[in-house]
């Protein structure tokens, strides 16, 4: 398996064989009654320099269910030697002496790759600033496959903070590989995907599959054409913590809110996904709609992360 002993840094690195293996293992993890022997005696360090609920706890739950142990540095690095001025490189080199793999979240784009460069063990990117979040993309794609039955010929509406949303940056790269997929990009102008530049001109990579771009001003109804046609509506939170000014955030924070009326225009077979946490972009009244798949997506995250850990740690 090509994932064995590999760092997991970007969604672009997965071969088709890797994706097939992750999905096959995730299916198996769901069905297997006893997974506790699979990674017995192995240790995972979970190091989070940014807040997390789902990513950290699902990696911890996944490792535990596989029989392994966890070094959790998830309660704030203020309790680790980082608060004494230790560099990321030294922290990672140290943890690599105890752990068989490291899951790392960091506020700087590229920091996880920097960590991987010095790490003696595989490093899994659990979100690097506005860069990528590849394990989330795996679980998002797995959920899409489970919910719609396919990974190709999908019309996918990406909604919200496309500039800062690292889950979007990874998922769109994965979906870009499959034939017939078509992207509808819905955001305020300030949060458009083609603002994501730097070393990784993501928009250029995926533009061949961009069917339509909406720069909404007053609300999501301006993009009703895309909502009506979509097989998947991928909602995201406006990433308040990435703004340098409160005014900029205030201007766009309510620009892409879903409501029951918009959902009633969606196809019955369509699905709403969200990496979570949500703020106000999906009112809770929508949760009972069978098209709301975001909590099933959370559940899938456990099985996909069990699969990923098994493959990287080489069961
Ligand atoms: C996301 C993240 O951290 O990038 N959450 C997650 O991992 N499920 C999305 C977000 O914070 O908005």
């Amino acid at each position: 398996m090509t994932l064995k002993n590999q760092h997991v840094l970007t969604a672009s690195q997965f071969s088709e064989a890797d994706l097939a293996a992750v999905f096959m293992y995730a299916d198996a993890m769901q069905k297997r009654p006893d997974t506790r022997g699979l990674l017995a005696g192995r240790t995972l360090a979970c190091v989070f320099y940014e807040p997390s609920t789902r990513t950290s706890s699902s990696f911890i739950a996944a490792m535990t269910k596989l029989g392994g142990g966890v070094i959790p540095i998830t309660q704030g690095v203020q309790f680790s030697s980082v608060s004494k001025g230790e560099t990321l490189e030294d922290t990672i080199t140290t943890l690599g002496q105890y752990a068989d793999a490291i899951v790392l979240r960091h506020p700087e784009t590229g920091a996880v790759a920097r960590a991987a460069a010095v790490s003696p063990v595989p490093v899994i990117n659990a979100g690097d600033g506005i860069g990528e979040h590849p394990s989330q993309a795996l679980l998002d794609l797995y959920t899409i496959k489970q919910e719609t039955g396919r990974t190709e010929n999908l019309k996918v509406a990406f909604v919200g903070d496309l500039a800062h949303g690292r889950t979007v940056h990874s998922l769109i790269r994965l979906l870009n590989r499959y034939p017939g997929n078509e992207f509808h990009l819905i955001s305020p102008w300030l949060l458009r995907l083609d603002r994501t530049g730097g070393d990784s001109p993501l928009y250029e990579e995926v533009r061949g599959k961009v069917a339509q771009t909406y720069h909404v001003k007053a609300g999501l109804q301006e993009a009703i054409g895309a909502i009506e046609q979509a097989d998947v509506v991928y909602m995201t939170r406006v990433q308040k913590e990435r703004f340098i000014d409160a005014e900029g955030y205030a201007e766009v924070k309510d620009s892409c809110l879903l409501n029951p009326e918009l959902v009633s225009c969606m196809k019955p077979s369509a699905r709403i996904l969200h990496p979570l946490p949500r703020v106000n972009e999906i009112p809770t009244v929508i949760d009972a709609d069978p098209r709301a798949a975001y909590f099933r997506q959370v559940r899938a995250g456990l099985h996909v992360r069990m699969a990923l850990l098994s493959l990287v740690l080489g069961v």
Side-chain angles (χ1 to χ4, degrees), residues 51 54-55 105 126 133 136 166-167 237 239 241 274-277 305:
R54 274 149 292 269
T55 307
R105 171 171 288 187
H133 195 346
Q136 179 73 37
R166 56 195 173 198
T167 71
R237 165 181 79 88
Q239 311 258 308
E241 69 276 26
H274 192 308
L276 303 177
R305 288 185 169 124

Side-chain angles (χ1 to χ4, degrees), residues 94-112:
T94 300
L95 290 168
Q97 313 305 314
Y98 315 134
D100 298 293
I102 299 170
V103 172
L104 175 64
R105 171 171 288 187
H106 197 281
E108 279 165 44
T109 308
V112 182

Side-chain angles (χ1 to χ4, degrees), residues 129-208:
I130 63 166
E132 284 213 47
H133 195 346
S135 69
Q136 179 73 37
L138 291 175
L139 79 89
D140 291 345
L141 187 64
Y142 183 72
T143 305
I144 290 173
K145 188 165 182 274
Q146 283 201 319
E147 297 280 336
T148 69
R150 62 193 197 278
T151 54
E152 51 195 46
N153 298 318
L154 291 161
K155 289 185 173 44
V156 183
F158 286 98
V159 182
D161 193 344
L162 310 187
H164 305 121
R166 56 195 173 198
T167 71
V168 169
H169 302 165
S170 290
L171 178 59
I172 203 167
R173 285 187 162 105
L174 276 194
L175 286 167
N176 192 40
R177 308 156 60 107
Y178 294 90
N181 287 340
E182 165 179 315
F183 307 141
H184 298 256
L185 305 179
I186 308 172
S187 71
W189 186 80
L190 191 65
L191 303 180
R192 65 198 185 279
L193 186 70
D194 43 324
R195 256 192 71 194
T196 316
D199 296 336
S200 156
L202 170 61
Y203 185 75
E204 295 309 316
E205 252 179 83
V206 302
R207 75 181 307 159

